Amino acid sequence: MAISSISSKLDLSTFPNIYVLQAHVPVAELHDIEQHLIKSGASLTYDIREARLVLGYISKPRRAKFELQAGNVMFKPMGPSNPHAVSPTLGPGSPALPPVKRRKLQDIETDLTTDDSTASEHEDSSTTGSQTKAEAEAETEPLSQLSISQASTSQTIASSPSPEQPPRSCAQGDFANRVKVVCLQWLKDSVHQGQPQDIQNYLVYEAELLPSQPAWQSTRPPAAEPVSLEAGPKTQSMVAPGDDIPRDIIDRAKAEAKSKSKPRTNFSRAAKRDRVSDAAKRDFFNRSFTSTTSQDPWSQRTRLLRQTTSEHEEGVSATLPPMPDWVLQNKVYSCERATPLNSPNEAFIAQLKEIRTARLLTNDEIGVRAYSTSIASLAAYPHQIQNTGEILALPGCDQKIAHLFHEWQASPDHRIQAAKDVADDPVLKVLRLFYEIWGVGATTAREFYYEKRWRDLDDIVEFGWHSLSRVQQIGVKYYDEFLLKLPRAEVETIAGVVRRHAQKVVDERIQCVIVGGYRRGKAESGDVDLILSHPEQRATAGLVDKVVRSLEQEGWITHTLTLNLTNTKRGQETLPYITNTKGAGFDTLDKALVVWQAQPFPKQGGNEMQGKGVKNPNPHRRVDIIISPWRTVGCAVAGWTSGTTFQRDLRRYAKRVKGWKFDSSGVRERGSGRWIDLEGWANPRTRSKDPFEAEKRVFEGLGLQYREPWDRCTG
């Protein structure tokens, strides 16, 4: 039953500050709840750090703990939660998806601070014996930190003294130095019964509060449109001409918000993305693992690297080992050097990868590219780094990386503080959880968190399942299975099955190459990447569709998520230099992204498990099947085999050194758009015998030394 449909004389004046969690609460219901709390005499606050009682649609202690952490509440658990707490219900008529977050009414703060009866925060904070605690706080705290019930009485407190009020009672539970998270059903039942119900029956989580920094001393950046906190007389210009000034502060705030704000409907995709990006910037402002130079170039003092007297006298060059040629020649492209799978500096590189992931999740594309360049250079360095001078000598590494190495080297546990903060940050944990869903990128992960306010996979399933794409639904369904790594033997088995079916639908001359991490020498792979090709160009047209259908008939493929015939539709030609297709990316070949499950079932006790009603116990795997015409198969194999930074630098090198455009479908000359035949396809006598020979010709045509697959592990 909705709260608005009940008339009750509920008295909550004896309760401490109450905060209502907005997650999964429809906007109309949220306004209704707040109005009932105010009418019941409750002290309503919009800052969870001020609250001692938190209400929300929550049933799990883990979720309650996360909400407190996300609100920067300093606390420690007090014990197990009540196992008999009432589980939350959204009630009839509630939407399947959580609503858009309600905009904060900054006008409330404006009206409060412009009242001339309000005491300034610069006034003396001393209080007389006749003042109550609420009066003292009203004179000493900025009004933006006051709760709604305190703010609504600030005029009478400042203008005319009132008799001393008795302190608020906490008869409904002990709230001294603690916070309680309670199911919102408590309020509904209390309104229905006309008196507060026992909180213990609805308690989800209870924690002891720890000393924390006051909210008004937070390091968070100010709002985009800061509101003046100077007190001043009210003028008629504060409201629309001809309107009477509402007596109730809430009514006045709503009236002004309605006259100033525009409806939050029909937001474009770009507007939503910008709003999510701004929320992320505010959340991660001035954190150790994010860049502060773009927001405040003067926020940090310049740090100097320490140098001993002996290092200064002998010279840095005397302490450095012999530098490889690519360092001496300052070759900045990772495709110009060998990068082995195992680096002597792997421990330090692993810390940098954690920071790079944080930059990716916090929408810092420049930081991601910078860290990727530094990591690739460190991974290619053949010696174990001993001092910062070695790092500064490497192309792509600067003072920032040198400082991080100095910190890592001086740390007793060899940990960088920024990497520690990444591991401990509660928001990043959720963003990483979403990012690891197949079909969800960093941008979508931020939208899940900030726009839709989801906090775990259960939220996605319960409130947003039908809004997901089919790929994302499969990614959530098989989330745990997709995180399992594939050993090399299983990758080879899958490739053998695909090759057999490809040869069945074409002929024995079909070629199947395992690319990705497997070809670079990794012991385990996250997925399987396969390239199919045939010496006759007509044989590869539409081949991916035939292969997938054949595999589906035998039950190897359980789901076909995407099947693209992009290359077939353009006659299997190299991607034009100028294209109308937005975001074509590195790969424009025919391909299929499928979910794979091994067949047949394993045997147990000599009997086959496979049969009607028996579940296949084999885990689901991700498999990418790519089709490349023989004329450019070397480009496809080179691109899909190499590490991410190696691929990027291949494109950069081709553009800046050769004046070409390189992608997995071939190479074209910039300007004229002419196709560059690097693999000798034009002359039938000089064509490559296999994809591996074609790959070597691509490196030769680009003017690069051929690098074995296990020397392209740029990280």
Side-chain angles (χ1 to χ4, degrees), residues 21 23 54-61 63-65 67 86-88 181-184 202 204:
L21 295 172
V54 179
L55 305 179
Y57 282 130
I58 290 182
S59 59
K60 297 179 181 180
R63 177 59 183 271
K65 181 180 179 181
E67 292 288 352
V86 178
S87 60
V181 182
V182 177
C183 176
L184 195 55
Y202 303 82
V204 178

Side-chain angles (χ1 to χ4, degrees), residues 648-665:
R648 183 198 69 179
D649 285 352
L650 271 177
R651 299 193 300 271
R652 294 174 61 212
Y653 177 89
K655 176 182 179 180
R656 300 179 182 180
V657 178
K658 309 295 291 187
W660 297 342
K661 183 181 187 298
F662 176 88
D663 81 342
S664 60
S665 67

Side-chain angles (χ1 to χ4, degrees), residues 321-453:
M323 293 285 106
D325 292 340
W326 60 269
V327 175
L328 298 176
Q329 298 172 11
N330 193 34
K331 294 186 176 181
V332 296
Y333 302 109
S334 60
C335 56
E336 297 181 290
R337 55 182 181 250
T339 308
L341 179 62
N342 299 313
S343 169
N345 303 292
E346 187 60 36
F348 175 57
I349 293 175
Q351 300 277 294
L352 298 183
K353 288 181 179 179
E354 291 294 321
I355 302 176
R356 181 181 63 180
T357 301
R359 294 294 183 93
L360 174 65
L361 296 176
T362 56
N363 196 26
D364 184 3
E365 296 180 0
I366 297 177
V368 172
R369 291 195 295 268
Y371 271 93
S372 296
T373 300
S374 300
I375 289 171
S377 187
L378 291 168
Y381 190 63
H383 310 294
Q384 184 173 1
I385 299 176
Q386 302 294 332
N387 56 60
T388 56
E390 294 177 81
I391 291 183
L392 293 175
L394 300 181
C397 295
D398 55 9
Q399 287 278 350
K400 175 68 175 180
I401 304 299
H403 283 298
L404 292 176
F405 176 78
H406 180 76
E407 179 185 350
W408 175 84
Q409 193 177 41
S411 174
D413 56 351
H414 285 293
R415 293 290 305 276
I416 301 174
Q417 184 60 45
K420 293 181 182 179
D421 295 341
V422 169
D424 297 337
D425 190 273
V427 178
L428 281 180
K429 289 180 180 178
V430 179
L431 292 177
R432 186 190 293 265
L433 173 75
F434 294 157
Y435 180 68
E436 291 176 345
I437 299 174
W438 194 23
V440 175
T443 300
T444 306
R446 289 190 293 270
E447 289 180 0
F448 284 1
Y449 186 89
Y450 291 104
E451 184 72 21
K452 302 182 184 296
R453 299 197 301 276

